Amino acid sequence: MLELQNVSKLVGAETHIADVSLRLERGSLNVLLGPTLSGKTSLMRLMAGLDRPTAGRILVDGADVTGTPVQKRNVAMVYQQFINYPAMTVYENIASPLRVAGVDAATIDKEVKRAAELLRLTPYLARTPLNLSGGQQQRTALARAIVKKASLVLLDEPLANLDYKLREELRAELPKLFAETGAVFVYATTEPHEALLLGGNTATLSQGRVTQFGPTVEVFRKPVDLLTARTFSDPPLNTIALVKRGGSFVMEGDSGVALPVPLSLAAIPDGPYTVAFQPHHLSLSPRDGGAAVRAKVTASEITGSESYVHLGFADARWVMLAHGIRRFEPDETVEIFIDTRHLLVFGPDGRAASTFPLAA
Amino acid sequence: MEKSWNNRAWFLVLPVLVLVAFSAVVPLMTVVNYAFQDTFGNNEFFWAGTEWFEQVLDSSRFWEAMARNLAFSAIILLIEVPLGILIALNMPKSGWGVPVCLVLMALPLLIPWNVVGTIWQVFGRSDIGLLGYTLNQLGVDYNYTRDTTDAWATVIVMDVWHWTSLVVLLCYAGLVSIPDAYYQAAKIDGASRWAVFRFIQLPKMNRVLLIAVLLRFMDSFMIYTEPFVVTGGGPGNATTFLSIDLVKMALGQFDLGPAAAMSLVYFLIILLLSWVFYTVMTNVGVERSNQSGGH
Amino acid sequence: MARIDLDHIRHSYMANPQKPADYALKEVHTSFEDGGAYALLGPSGCGKTTLLNIISGLLRASEGCLLFDGHDVNGLSTQERNIAQVFQFPVVYDTMTVYDNLAFPLRNRGLAEPDVDRRVREILEMIDLASWSKRKARGLTADQKQKISLGRGLVRADVNAILFDEPLTVIDPHMKWVLRSQLKQLHRRFGTTMVYVTHDQTEALTFAERVVVMFEGEVVQIGTPDELFERPRHTFVGYFIGSPGMNVLPIRLEGNRAQLGSQAIALPDAPATSSAKTELGIRPEYVRLGRAGMPARITKIEDIGRHRIVRLDLEGREIAAIAGEDEEIPAEPHVSFDPAGINLYADSWRLETGRIETARPMTGGGH
């Protein structure tokens, strides 16, 4: 188990990590999700022991390792760039951590072959990394991380430099590969989609802070604040500023919008709120609990089976994910329906509105 | 990257510290000792205060040597930097020509200072030297032991021959790191050869150029061996640079006090100028890392 | 703006290519209409960047002819072809201001300063960088720099085409949406021919009117996004487009039925083929889960937020199905295939109804 207690990291006057507390269990897959410079890499470096935190403690299985350098911890790391020893064969690359550990030749051979088999590298063992495709190079780096049998495996956007389809394949394999080792597994990504496909737990990061940590789908469906919801949506989250009056959310000075307040939130006080909804909760046909509004089309994009329709509503820019192929003329006005069962409601402080006051 | 912390690491640095203490700190303190005292041998010392410093700073001899140093550094920088860039720009970027060019460029750098001096001393002689003899046969009156201009020209050409390679190699390293896309984009934008140099190559080279200028400045400001071997500081005092003058004063005339004061002043000037360069360079560095964005 | 004709273009990086495998780009013969938005889509090493570089003139094709508006441009340099290109990593002139970056291509071509100013201001407005015009380009973020690269392409009113080489690779997901929709608006406004190279199906399909799918140096299909989705001509297209890709199952054809293991699937008509290897392709979107149909066993359910991917074992084969966010998944599911989503393949090439299609790559003109 890896535990971070109120960890902060300052570099000069700049805060890279601000008061992060996390508990990552053995055998768990943990995703760090956030845009570039949100602190994913900084946090991983702290977890690995490459950097020393400015404040806070880091515990492994209850033992304080805050001052222990990376060489003394059992850590494996895989980076976005494919990092291998260019002069060594794939076999030697995979074997390298075992050689350092002084494992006997027979065991090395067995372990290397097993990892190669797992990552489908067996035909390439005699080649050097530069004679491999990007996907195979990254598989080699992953194989090296596997044979190391590290108790903490850190993957920093490992698939970002790979082709789309290759990414899909490796992404499906990764959790399986590491699940059996019982290691704490941390995966950084900028893509919400990737976090959802990986499953496990997700910590959303924004400006060096962890805004929420929990099971991935739960963080996605029930973000605790607007920042988390924004970080965790691709396409960007649709939002609108509305005022709650009794049983509905209405727009200031406009009678056109009236969204019924979800039953679970009936008790929240009247006042201004930010109401948000995901692109797939907008539709062209009324569903149960659909509230109609009229919006202007700015662009539409087709992905094959679905269409992303970019809309302008008052000052807001929305994206609707509509089923089927929908072609619209730009500036056309369309009637759309908001699925009010899935509304996300945030107070003026950005925190998710709740009938029960959230623990501070 | 931040280093890991481990107290035992100090043991590894210890030999270096001892070495530095003996090679730099102890001699420096001896020099400081001499600079503020007077001695007539027999290990008898008298406090001299700032007398030696006043003497050095008041002497026209010091300031003339200083002016020669500055002029020399300025001239060789003005020649070596543009020439180095020009050669680097024309070096091949790929193929068999790359190793050939690199080896050719590295050759002068491999020759020891005094050998370079000796080579040119012989090369330039008007009786037996290939260069001196040829020039004189062609009707050019060339003699570096008699004529001030010739002496200067010889020392400068020698330095350029010896050190331009360093500028070339540094610039070349900067140039090959420019991604191809920049050249392609420039072609597409219809940029001229000059614009490519001015807006792509020069900005990408400016970091290594600063290092080249710093190294060449400090090195040329401390020049000693080559002019000492070739001209011995002459004719007259025409090529007597600070370092040569210092040796003359200390070992020739055995004026240890003024020589020590002078070497301290010399040392402080180099320290100051290096600090200025260093500040300029790190400022450029900060700008760079801001651009690529912190974390 | 121009129509681009690729007339039997082939390219090899070798001096004397002998066999087809020596060609990085096997024969490409197609046209890009004036003002169209095209995407070249495929995995790395499929020849898409080679093709782009041939169009831009950074590379000269070993064989074949390249025409802009009917004029042979084979011998012309990049500059003479008058095209613009946006690269994977933003290329900006660091020491210039944002304004000067945009003015650079115009000034190089000797445009009068008032005209330069008018054009540059217009583009600055469009790419939302008007307030940054006096800033040096070096301190900007990746997406701002990429906007400048894009702006430098748009600023020249007379370009024949703008070429994009994976331009959104270094951009964060949120910014990708903004840049993409801006790009579409700019395309609509200027009507410049645009060719966009990517390995990302979402980018290709959302950007382009027509997508050219490439695989191992060959063009496998050229079509609109919905054609590629609904009627992939090759199983590779089915696999490569869509996430997850198309389920491809080996079958035996018996009249108007497809025999899948012990199950029979009714087909809309009876295709005929002499080929030994026949397959049925069905996208996860067209696999229905219910209480009727072929019995299957659920191996895994992946909840990815807006829907769930259900992995099932059907007759010993793994297939994927998509279930909506609020859709109920039966405990003992049966699957059926929506007839509208069924495609049949012989030797990996799609069978057109009622006739045998030769299993030969059609490199030729899509339209």
Side-chain angles (χ1 to χ4, degrees):
Chain A
M1 189 183 67
L2 175 74
E3 197 173 352
L4 275 65
Q5 295 178 343
N6 306 94
V7 167
S8 295
K9 174 75 185 170
L10 277 79
V11 177
E14 253 180 278
T15 305
H16 287 191
I17 293 296
D19 195 25
V20 168
S21 297
L22 283 176
R23 270 173 77 105
L24 311 179
E25 301 293 336
R26 279 196 171 277
S28 67
L29 162 59
N30 306 281
V31 181
L32 302 179
L33 173 68
T36 314
L37 299 185
S38 59
K40 303 186 296 297
T41 304
S42 303
L43 195 56
M44 282 196 159
R45 293 181 59 88
L46 292 171
M47 288 175 176
L50 284 164
D51 289 337
R52 189 189 187 123
T54 316
R57 296 205 306 157
I58 298 170
L59 307 168
V60 171
D61 295 329
D64 192 330
V65 295
T66 314
T68 315
V70 64
Q71 302 92 312
K72 300 246 181 91
R73 301 194 199 174
N74 194 8
V75 178
M77 203 155 175
V78 176
Y79 303 83
Q80 184 178 344
Q81 296 81 13
F82 315 134
I83 296 174
N84 292 302
Y85 301 106
M88 291 186 190
T89 60
V90 169
Y91 184 99
E92 281 306 315
N93 261 288
I94 301 174
S96 60
L98 299 175
R99 295 231 192 273
V100 171
V103 177
D104 65 278
T107 317
I108 289 182
D109 194 60
K110 202 181 86 214
E111 287 295 322
V112 170
K113 291 206 165 125
R114 199 183 69 94
E117 198 57 47
L118 217 55
L119 285 155
R120 289 183 271 137
L121 283 168
T122 311
Y124 313 108
L125 282 174
R127 295 206 206 167
T128 54
L130 293 179
N131 294 314
L132 298 177
S133 70
Q136 290 159 348
Q137 288 185 41
Q138 194 64 319
R139 280 172 199 269
T140 306
L142 287 166
R144 209 169 49 226
I146 288 176
V147 297
K148 199 175 174 189
K149 294 206 163 56
S151 57
L152 174 63
V153 180
L154 302 167
L155 307 175
D156 194 356
E157 301 189 47
L159 307 181
N161 285 357
L162 294 176
D163 275 7
Y164 190 81
K165 271 287 158 178
L166 214 54
R167 242 184 254 181
E168 223 166 67
E169 284 174 18
L170 268 177
R171 190 157 48 213
E173 291 169 23
L174 276 175
K176 289 184 218 156
L177 292 176
F178 289 94
E180 56 182 277
T181 65
V184 176
F185 180 81
V186 184
Y187 187 109
T189 180
T190 58
E191 294 179 31
H193 185 65
E194 188 157 50
L196 285 163
L197 280 167
L198 285 166
N201 301 315
T202 290
T204 44
L205 267 90
S206 177
Q207 297 179 336
R209 272 172 204 287
V210 169
T211 57
Q212 189 171 354
F213 179 62
T216 302
V217 176
E218 195 182 303
V219 177
F220 176 74
R221 294 236 165 81
K222 293 176 185 142
V224 293
D225 54 24
L226 191 54
L227 208 54
T228 306
R230 282 194 202 282
T231 307
F232 213 149
S233 48
D234 179 38
L237 188 71
N238 300 316
T239 57
I240 180 172
L242 295 174
V243 179
K244 178 177 179 284
R245 291 223 180 90
S248 21
F249 288 113
V250 294
M251 201 170 187
E252 203 76 71
D254 187 313
S255 53
V257 184
L259 305 180
V261 174
L263 274 178
S264 60
L265 294 176
I268 60 173
D270 283 6
Y273 288 93
T274 301
V275 176
F277 35 87
Q278 297 289 347
H280 63 283
H281 292 141
L282 280 179
S283 64
L284 287 161
S285 55
R287 280 183 283 186
D288 307 337
V293 293
R294 296 184 72 79
K296 208 156 129 187
V297 176
T298 55
S300 65
E301 301 175 314
I302 294 152
T303 66
S305 62
E306 293 164 325
S307 313
Y308 287 110
V309 186
H310 296 249
L311 303 159
F313 178 79
D315 294 337
R317 304 211 151 275
W318 292 347
V319 180
M320 166 170 63
L321 180 62
H323 283 289
I325 286 151
R326 308 286 185 158
R327 295 183 199 281
F328 293 98
E329 285 305 310
D331 296 334
E332 191 179 327
T333 304
V334 290
E335 181 165 60
I336 53 168
F337 298 88
I338 302 168
D339 187 342
T340 53
R341 292 170 304 175
H342 297 281
L343 288 186
L344 302 170
V345 180
F346 303 97
D349 58 351
R351 298 201 63 84
S354 167
T355 314
F356 312 101
L358 288 163
Chain B
M1 185 196 282
E2 200 179 307
K3 310 287 181 297
S4 354
W5 48 94
N6 187 334
N7 287 335
R8 269 177 301 172
W10 282 108
F11 288 112
L12 300 174
V13 196
L14 204 62
V16 179
L17 286 180
V18 172
L19 205 69
V20 169
F22 275 96
S23 66
V25 181
V26 173
L28 188 67
M29 288 324 291
T30 317
V31 170
V32 172
N33 215 18
Y34 278 118
F36 292 98
Q37 298 183 71
D38 199 358
T39 177
F40 305 103
N42 294 340
N43 251 347
E44 285 174 66
F45 287 93
F46 304 93
W47 177 252
T50 57
E51 195 188 322
W52 301 136
F53 288 92
E54 282 161 30
Q55 190 183 321
V56 165
L57 292 175
D58 275 346
S59 75
S60 57
R61 179 175 158 182
F62 173 80
W63 291 110
E64 278 162 17
M66 173 76 126
R68 279 191 285 272
N69 259 44
L70 287 173
F72 179 73
S73 291
I75 292 170
I76 67 109
L77 281 180
L78 282 175
I79 296 173
E80 285 177 15
V81 170
L83 186 66
I85 293 174
L86 199 70
I87 295 173
L89 286 175
N90 288 299
M91 266 170 65
K93 299 282 180 294
S94 60
W96 58 269
V98 177
V100 172
C101 282
L102 289 179
V103 168
L104 279 179
M105 281 297 134
L107 271 182
L109 299 174
L110 297 173
I111 305 173
W113 287 259
N114 56 340
V115 177
V116 172
T118 313
I119 290 174
W120 282 85
Q121 199 249 346
V122 176
F123 193 45
R125 276 171 64 168
S126 45
D127 49 351
I128 57 163
L130 184 62
L131 176 75
Y133 183 76
T134 313
L135 283 174
N136 280 306
Q137 286 302 342
L138 290 171
V140 183
D141 181 22
Y142 169 82
N143 189 330
Y144 63 77
T145 53
R146 222 175 37 216
D147 186 273
T148 306
T149 322
D150 289 354
W152 268 79
T154 307
V155 175
I156 285 166
V157 168
M158 181 173 63
D159 196 88
V160 167
W161 176 83
H162 195 183
W163 289 111
T164 305
S165 298
L166 180 76
V167 183
V168 172
L169 293 178
L170 284 169
C171 288
Y172 185 72
L175 280 176
V176 292
S177 70
I178 301 175
D180 239 11
Y182 277 83
Y183 294 114
Q184 295 175 3
K187 266 192 211 167
I188 286 163
D189 288 337
S192 62
R193 184 71 196 79
W194 167 250
V196 170
F197 173 70
R198 168 75 186 73
F199 296 113
I200 297 174
Q201 292 169 326
L202 197 59
K204 294 281 168 192
M205 269 195 301
N206 74 7
R207 200 117 188 249
V208 285
L209 270 180
L210 268 162
I211 294 172
V213 168
L214 178 65
L215 285 176
R216 283 315 301 131
F217 173 78
M218 294 201 307
D219 229 32
S220 63
F221 202 75
M222 294 188 290
I223 188 158
Y224 173 74
T225 318
E226 297 98 321
F228 178 76
V229 174
V230 179
T231 64
N237 276 333
T239 54
T240 301
F241 297 109
L242 280 173
S243 55
I244 294 179
D245 198 27
L246 187 61
V247 173
K248 273 185 191 167
M249 193 187 288
L251 300 179
Q253 302 156 226
F254 221 70
D255 285 337
L256 289 185
M262 182 171 160
S263 50
L264 275 187
V265 173
Y266 191 19
F267 171 69
L268 288 176
I269 290 169
I270 292 176
L271 204 64
L272 176 79
L273 290 169
S274 302
W275 176 77
V276 169
F277 273 113
Y278 178 80
T279 315
V280 172
M281 276 170 59
T282 40
N283 277 347
V284 172
V286 165
E287 215 175 306
R288 284 292 158 114
S289 67
N290 279 348
Q291 162 201 358
S292 63
H295 300 214
Chain C
M1 281 158 270
R3 172 196 162 89
I4 301 170
D5 291 298
L6 301 154
D7 187 0
H8 300 96
I9 298 267
R10 295 216 288 172
H11 187 74
S12 172
Y13 290 101
M14 297 183 198
N16 286 306
Q18 305 290 330
K19 48 189 191 301
D22 292 346
Y23 285 89
L25 197 63
K26 292 164 192 129
E27 196 164 283
V28 177
H29 182 76
T30 186
S31 302
F32 296 149
E33 296 297 331
D34 186 4
Y38 293 85
L40 305 180
L41 173 69
S44 57
C46 73
K48 56 192 194 299
T49 303
T50 305
L51 184 55
L52 194 77
N53 287 342
I54 287 172
I55 298 173
S56 69
L58 296 171
L59 209 61
R60 199 175 165 165
S62 317
E63 290 161 41
C65 197
L66 180 69
L67 306 168
F68 281 10
D69 278 338
H71 299 291
D72 186 340
V73 296
N74 268 357
L76 297 186
S77 70
T78 302
Q79 199 176 336
E80 290 163 326
R81 288 184 193 192
N82 205 10
I83 44 101
Q85 186 161 351
V86 179
F87 297 89
Q88 187 170 4
F89 296 97
V91 175
V92 296
Y93 304 106
D94 276 346
T95 51
M96 292 188 199
T97 60
V98 172
Y99 183 99
D100 289 338
N101 257 284
L102 294 178
F104 190 60
L106 299 177
R107 287 175 180 155
N108 284 333
R109 286 175 173 73
L111 213 67
E113 205 52 36
D115 294 332
V116 172
D117 190 64
R118 191 176 44 77
R119 280 300 290 178
V120 171
R121 282 183 193 291
E122 191 182 346
I123 300 296
L124 277 171
E125 210 56 58
M126 258 180 288
I127 58 175
D128 278 340
L129 286 176
S131 55
W132 296 73
S133 72
K134 296 269 191 300
R135 289 279 290 270
K136 281 257 194 288
R138 92 162 21 124
L140 305 184
T141 60
D143 53 89
Q144 287 171 323
K145 285 185 181 180
Q146 200 58 310
K147 278 187 185 178
I148 296 177
S149 301
L150 174 63
R152 275 210 319 274
L154 293 165
V155 76
R156 285 151 54 195
D158 60 338
V159 288
N160 281 321
I162 305 184
L163 311 178
F164 299 88
D165 191 359
E166 312 212 358
L168 299 182
T169 308
V170 295
I171 310 296
D172 268 359
H174 280 195
M175 260 347 268
K176 277 185 188 169
W177 286 90
V178 177
L179 285 185
R180 231 168 48 206
S181 77
Q182 242 170 14
L183 198 57
K184 277 189 91 81
Q185 284 173 21
L186 293 170
H187 178 251
R188 212 170 52 230
R189 183 152 165 196
F190 288 109
T192 318
T193 313
M194 289 185 176
V195 183
Y196 189 114
V197 162
T198 179
H199 64 82
D200 186 323
Q201 46 142 340
T202 313
E203 278 180 36
L205 297 178
T206 51
F207 168 79
E209 291 151 359
R210 294 186 78 84
V211 179
V212 180
V213 185
M214 297 182 70
F215 181 52
E216 289 180 348
E218 272 177 80
V219 173
V220 240
Q221 186 170 3
I222 301 176
T224 60
D226 37 318
E227 278 166 14
L228 295 178
F229 190 82
E230 303 286 347
R231 299 285 171 253
R233 275 194 59 218
H234 189 278
T235 47
F236 172 78
V237 180
Y239 152 80
F240 200 74
I241 289 173
S243 177
M246 182 182 257
N247 300 302
V248 178
L249 306 161
I251 49 152
R252 235 174 32 252
L253 277 177
E254 282 168 8
N256 59 353
R257 280 188 325 166
Q259 202 68 36
L260 168 68
S262 62
Q263 301 289 330
I265 299 154
L267 301 174
D269 47 283
T273 175
S274 58
S275 164
K277 186 184 154 208
T278 47
E279 288 160 313
L280 181 147
I282 181 100
R283 292 209 173 271
E285 286 82 353
Y286 291 108
V287 177
R288 304 276 172 255
L289 294 173
R291 291 182 216 293
M294 299 171 278
R297 187 171 56 83
I298 293 175
T299 54
K300 196 179 173 201
I301 298 174
E302 297 165 35
D303 190 340
I304 63 161
R306 65 189 171 90
H307 57 230
R308 282 165 295 173
I309 301 168
V310 185
R311 309 267 177 195
L312 305 118
D313 185 305
L314 173 67
E315 295 291 316
R317 293 267 159 184
E318 191 197 272
I319 69 162
I322 286 191
E325 192 179 12
D326 303 315
E327 196 178 317
E328 190 199 334
I329 298 171
E332 282 184 6
H334 289 66
V335 299
S336 56
F337 298 158
D338 185 337
I342 293 178
N343 288 289
L344 296 172
Y345 296 89
D347 290 330
S348 303
W349 291 90
R350 185 167 181 271
L351 280 173
E352 297 295 339
T353 344
R355 67 180 175 87
I356 303 168
E357 197 173 36
T358 46
R360 181 179 62 81
M362 290 277 289
T363 45
H367 38 276

